Amino acid sequence: MDTFTPNYRPQVAIFSDPGGLAVSLVEKLLANFCKVSIFSKDGDGWRESIEHIAQKEFIEINENEAQPEYIIFFDLRLEAAESQYEKLASFYIKNPAKTLVVLPFSFNLSDSTRVSKIVRTIEGLGQDFGIIYIGDLIGPRISESDAGSLGRLLTDAIRKKSFPISHQEMTIFPVNISDAAREISKALFSFGPYGASLAIIGKPATGAEIYQRVKSYLPDIEVVYTKGEKRDEATAERKILKDQVPEQALKETIVWLTRFPKVAPSSKRKEGTEKARGI
């Protein structure tokens, strides 16, 4: 006869740097009475990022003995090397579990081939794997590891007093970090079919529309038109469309980035990325 264990907590493994979305997800999982195992090269960064969390006894960092029931792997900047996906596959073989891979919903057209290859890799790993595509994150604690186009545009506005708008019209899908974390948590524990894809995005907006909203908080910024690069969007079986990001969230994001300007500017991309990331 099955016995009930009152102190049982399902274990979730998270492969991610300590970005705003990952930290928010950890908070949501703890609120759902989970135990969280974090795997990251930046263990010290994680310890600093979770310092405010009261339930740290249910968080472990880089503990190789973890045996999770669920796995979440983040690659929001499409910079995870092939070896990292191989590590994920090896970890899954030892610990078969429902696995979600988190990717950006929109990306440069030059990254389309890479995204397609990642999707094929994930599909080849079996029906336990699903993909979640995330729109352009906004909200306090946004960091370089999870900032999309919107985060980099806001960083340019703060640092350079300029707001770059591409001649290749760019659509932005702003979604609040907290909302995205909540939907990922729901998807993780849903009883729907595995192997599916889900997009969590906000109401689409153009760069010009975002500029008008940002200018009310940063009145000195000016539009700078750039050549830019064409964008592509992921194809998801299901979409969750969140409401327009409220002004308060936009204001809080600008305040956060002013205090902690760690997001890479939109006009610069890491050199050597194509060679380093493998896939």
Side-chain angles (χ1 to χ4, degrees):
M1 183 173 70
D2 293 337
T3 57
F4 174 70
T5 306
N7 295 324
Y8 167 75
R9 286 175 175 257
Q11 189 170 16
V12 182
I14 295 179
F15 289 79
S16 174
D17 289 334
L21 178 58
V23 173
S24 184
L25 178 59
V26 168
E27 294 171 344
K28 298 291 188 295
L29 293 172
L30 292 175
N32 286 329
F33 302 101
C34 293
K35 180 179 179 181
V36 179
S37 296
I38 296 166
F39 294 90
S40 171
K41 292 180 180 179
D42 190 6
D44 290 340
W46 265 108
R47 291 180 186 90
E48 181 181 347
S49 296
I50 64 172
E51 184 60 34
H52 66 284
I53 296 178
Q55 296 177 298
K56 283 190 283 292
E57 69 269 26
F58 299 113
I59 304 173
E60 56 186 27
I61 299 174
N62 294 328
E63 293 290 339
N64 293 327
E65 301 303 318
Q67 295 181 320
E69 290 98 328
Y70 304 92
I71 303 170
I72 304 175
F73 181 91
F74 284 85
D75 190 9
L76 284 172
R77 292 178 64 83
L78 300 175
E79 292 177 351
E82 185 174 2
S83 60
Q84 291 176 266
Y85 281 94
E86 291 172 351
K87 180 179 179 180
L88 171 64
S90 298
F91 186 87
Y92 169 79
I93 291 171
K94 295 178 182 178
N95 304 278
K98 180 176 182 180
T99 303
L100 298 178
V101 177
V102 183
L103 302 173
F105 176 72
S106 64
F107 38 84
N108 288 337
L109 189 61
S110 59
D111 284 323
S112 296
T113 300
R114 172 173 168 75
V115 172
S116 297
K117 188 170 184 179
I118 291 173
V119 171
R120 290 195 301 270
T121 298
I122 294 169
E123 290 174 347
L125 292 173
Q127 290 299 305
D128 279 348
F129 283 74
I131 301 174
I132 292 187
Y133 298 104
I134 299 292
D136 297 282
L137 291 169
I138 189 171
R141 297 191 302 199
I142 192 171
S143 71
E144 185 173 350
S145 66
D146 52 20
S149 299
L150 182 53
R152 294 191 290 275
L153 288 173
L154 293 177
T155 301
D156 271 351
I158 293 166
R159 289 182 182 178
K160 303 178 180 180
K161 305 296 184 184
S162 64
F163 194 93
I165 294 181
S166 172
H167 287 296
Q168 306 285 349
E169 185 56 60
M170 178 173 62
T171 303
I172 300 171
F173 301 87
V175 59
N176 191 283
I177 284 177
S178 181
D179 287 343
R182 186 178 301 107
E183 295 297 343
I184 292 174
S185 180
K186 287 181 182 178
L188 191 66
F189 301 116
S190 70
F191 293 95
Y194 295 177
S197 59
L198 168 69
I200 303 170
I201 59 177
K203 183 179 179 182
T206 65
E209 290 170 337
I210 296 295
Y211 166 73
Q212 292 300 328
R213 294 180 65 184
V214 172
K215 193 170 177 63
S216 63
Y217 301 106
L218 300 171
D220 294 336
I221 63 172
E222 299 292 339
V223 169
V224 175
Y225 290 98
T226 64
K227 181 179 180 181
E229 186 176 348
K230 290 184 178 181
R231 304 279 291 176
D232 199 0
E233 297 167 9
T235 300
E237 298 173 28
R238 189 164 68 92
K239 292 182 181 179
I240 295 177
L241 182 64
K242 307 302 291 186
D243 293 336
Q244 181 177 2
V245 173
E247 293 301 317
Q248 183 63 26
L250 182 60
K251 180 180 179 180
E252 289 174 351
T253 305
I254 292 172
V255 171
W256 173 265
L257 290 175
T258 302
R259 293 176 59 195
F260 306 101
K262 296 181 181 180
V263 177
S266 61
S267 57
K268 293 184 180 180
R269 187 164 182 171
K270 290 183 178 180
E271 296 181 1
T273 296
E274 296 297 330
K275 293 181 180 179
R277 60 194 187 184
I279 287 184

